[in-house]
Amino acid sequence: MRQCLSGPGQHVDRVPGARLWQRLKAAFRLLAFAIPATALIAVPETSAQDYILGPQDTLKIRVFEWRPSTFTAFEWVPLTGDFVISAAGNLSLPIIGTVPAAGKTLEQVADTIGERLQNQIGLQKRPNASVEIASYRPFFITGMVTNPGKYSYSPGLTVVQALSMAGGVGPVDPNLIGLQRDALSSRGDIRALVAERLGLIARQARIDAILSGAATVVYPPELTSRGIETGAARMMQEEQSLFETREKSTNTEIDALGQAKVLATNQIDALKAKAASLAKQIELANKDLGSVNKLVSQGLTVSARQLGANQNVAELESRNLDVSLAILKTQQDLAKFDQDIADVRNRYRINALTESAELRDRFASNAEKTKTAKDLLTNLEIRAPAAIAAVDENGETYRFVTSIDRVVDGSVQSLIVNDNDPISAGDVIRVERRERPPTPPIQNSN
């Protein structure tokens, strides 16, 4: 007669008599896979004691309970299967609920499962749990590789092996040569636009010096901090020379007008002195004419003398009028000299303002062209980052640095690694271009 043992797990038949020994041997063979409180890893390279579990690890769990009264191994079927560690680091298991797994070893998780089940059901003996790695959590590769993304982890994986899974660093497809050529062209356009912008900055500094009335051009740090290879020193020297030449030309013109103004002022003073002398002569001539008129009225002199006196007065008054007109004309010339000096200064300033307006348009056009060239280069880098980044703007091969972002004791640490260094599950491998050392700044010779 057969009896069936029922429970929350798998049903196992109990057979008395001659078949008991056969069932016992089968049970012992089954227990070979249920080592008490032991966790096994399918891959021999990594031991259970070394591997630390984390989110996205998939565990294969089997739980058995040996029942000596029936000489059978009872399997807890709801707890048998593949389970994924959640982002919070927990396993969600039937019957026993949430079990913390992240940061623990497989053996620790197996012990926890057995203890939880024993306490939850109220068993006298702790069941045996077998926990294996069904699949490791992935690692990630980003940066200057051919195929960045998520990859499956396997124990013993090194950095160079991981990079080879991502296609390696640098171009591998001959078709990418065209993309490299386009990238070099875009970088050449950017270099030309940068040089143009530096020239515009130098010109703007000269215009600002003119408008502010400064004695010399003061260049911003954006220009003075540039290296010699950019031609910044030559640009600053040329703009300073142009500033000095134009200022000298303007000052020469103003000085010439100033000298003419001084001459006109002296001429006015001389004409005024002459006018004062004529005024005295006219006064004397009028007195003489009055005396002659008196004598003529008394019949003491002839009218011819009276006529001569009148002509003398008229001539002096005419000469005085000519002097007055000359003074007025010279004063007009003097005012015109002042106006000419103001016009020279205004013309110098107006030219600077006009050039400043043109510079604003040039700056806007330069910025738009630079943005377009950078967008094109970014698009190329997105399409083939390793191919584009492997060659710099001068056609020389860049050097790369590889680092790993790894969670250690709950915090993310960035580690610089070599090709043969091992990686861990969940690592983020970054391949970045090694930056060139900064170019030393140049001094403004002005």
Side-chain angles (χ1 to χ4, degrees):
M1 183 177 179
R2 302 176 111 192
Q3 292 182 351
C4 183
L5 180 65
S6 61
Q10 178 180 353
H11 299 286
V12 180
D13 293 336
R14 184 176 62 188
V15 182
R19 299 184 59 188
L20 180 59
W21 176 246
Q22 295 178 355
R23 297 304 303 269
L24 284 173
K25 291 196 298 180
F28 281 118
R29 285 197 300 269
L30 185 60
L31 284 176
F33 298 96
I35 302 173
T38 300
L40 301 178
I41 300 180
V43 183
E45 287 86 347
T46 303
S47 64
Q49 290 78 11
D50 293 336
Y51 187 74
I52 303 300
L53 298 172
Q56 302 184 48
D57 277 335
T58 301
L59 305 183
K60 184 177 182 179
I61 301 175
R62 301 179 69 185
V63 181
F64 294 90
E65 176 191 356
W66 173 249
R67 295 185 175 180
S69 61
T70 61
F71 294 98
T72 58
F74 180 78
E75 181 180 10
W76 292 84
V77 176
L79 293 173
T80 299
D82 294 344
F83 299 90
V84 181
I85 300 177
S86 67
N90 300 319
L91 284 170
S92 181
L93 301 177
I95 302 176
I96 62 177
T98 301
V99 175
K104 299 181 179 296
T105 63
L106 295 171
E107 183 178 5
Q108 291 172 335
V109 173
D111 290 340
T112 302
I113 292 174
E115 292 174 359
R116 286 281 188 92
L117 184 59
Q118 181 183 17
N119 297 332
Q120 190 80 13
I121 305 300
L123 302 175
Q124 293 182 354
K125 186 178 180 182
R126 187 178 70 183
N128 301 314
S130 171
V131 182
E132 302 176 358
I133 296 290
S135 63
Y136 292 91
R137 61 186 182 274
F139 67 95
F140 303 86
I141 302 180
T142 184
M144 303 307 180
V145 293
T146 303
N147 299 306
K150 178 175 68 174
Y151 292 90
S152 299
Y153 172 77
S154 60
L157 201 62
T158 63
V159 171
V160 68
Q161 292 171 338
L163 294 179
S164 66
M165 296 171 64
V169 178
V172 295
D173 188 351
N175 294 328
L176 295 180
I177 296 177
L179 294 177
Q180 285 187 337
R181 183 174 58 251
D182 294 340
L184 289 173
S185 177
S186 296
R187 284 169 175 161
D189 293 340
I190 292 175
R191 289 199 310 273
L193 291 169
V194 168
E196 181 185 21
R197 174 176 172 77
L198 293 178
L200 295 176
I201 293 174
R203 290 179 61 185
Q204 186 63 60
R206 174 175 57 82
I207 297 303
D208 292 341
I210 293 174
L211 296 178
S212 63
T216 186
V217 180
V218 179
Y219 297 99
E222 183 178 358
L223 192 62
T224 57
S225 61
R226 289 283 179 170
I228 298 177
E229 70 276 4
T230 61
R234 177 181 54 80
M235 295 176 186
M236 291 186 289
Q237 184 178 3
E238 289 177 352
E239 292 298 331
Q240 180 66 31
S241 299
L242 182 59
F243 172 80
E244 294 174 353
T245 300
R246 290 188 176 180
E247 186 176 33
K248 182 178 180 180
S249 176
T250 300
N251 291 336
T252 300
E253 190 173 357
I254 291 175
D255 290 343
L257 292 172
Q259 291 176 2
K261 180 180 175 182
V262 171
L263 183 60
T265 301
N266 294 334
Q267 186 176 1
I268 289 174
D269 293 339
L271 289 173
K272 287 182 178 179
K274 186 176 182 179
S277 176
L278 288 173
K280 291 180 179 180
Q281 293 180 27
I282 291 172
E283 183 181 1
L284 293 175
N286 285 327
K287 289 181 179 180
D288 182 63
L289 179 60
S291 301
V292 170
N293 289 334
K294 185 176 181 181
L295 292 174
V296 170
S297 63
Q298 295 176 356
L300 296 177
T301 186
V302 295
S303 58
R305 185 179 177 185
Q306 183 181 20
L307 179 61
N310 285 326
Q311 289 177 346
N312 186 34
V313 171
E315 182 181 358
L316 291 173
E317 289 179 347
S318 176
R319 289 170 59 188
N320 187 53
L321 182 60
D322 291 340
V323 171
S324 298
L325 291 174
I327 291 174
L328 290 175
K329 185 177 182 304
T330 307
Q331 288 176 341
Q332 290 177 348
D333 293 340
L334 187 62
K336 187 175 183 303
F337 290 142
D338 290 334
Q339 183 64 40
D340 290 342
I341 292 174
D343 290 343
V344 170
R345 291 198 175 103
N346 289 336
R347 184 173 67 249
Y348 188 46
R349 185 177 180 84
I350 289 172
N351 290 337
L353 290 173
T354 302
E355 192 172 358
S356 179
E358 294 175 354
L359 283 176
R360 285 195 296 270
D361 296 338
R362 293 280 300 278
F363 271 117
S365 176
N366 179 274
E368 188 63 28
K369 291 179 180 178
T370 302
K371 182 179 181 301
T372 301
K374 288 182 177 180
D375 289 343
L376 290 174
L377 184 59
T378 301
N379 184 46
L380 291 172
E381 290 176 344
I382 292 174
R383 291 172 59 188
I388 305 306
V391 180
D392 66 7
E393 59 271 16
N394 297 318
E396 299 177 356
T397 302
Y398 269 117
R399 307 184 70 177
F400 297 89
V401 59
T402 304
S403 63
I404 289 180
D405 293 342
R406 178 176 297 166
V407 178
V408 179
D409 297 331
S411 62
V412 178
Q413 296 184 6
S414 182
L415 310 171
I416 303 298
V417 294
N418 297 318
D419 288 345
N420 295 322
D421 289 337
I423 69 170
S424 301
D427 283 350
V428 178
I429 303 175
R430 299 180 182 273
V431 180
E432 298 173 320
R433 191 172 63 192
R434 188 188 300 274
E435 295 297 334
R436 289 182 173 183
T439 304
I442 61 173
Q443 300 294 330
N444 186 357
S445 59
N446 299 312

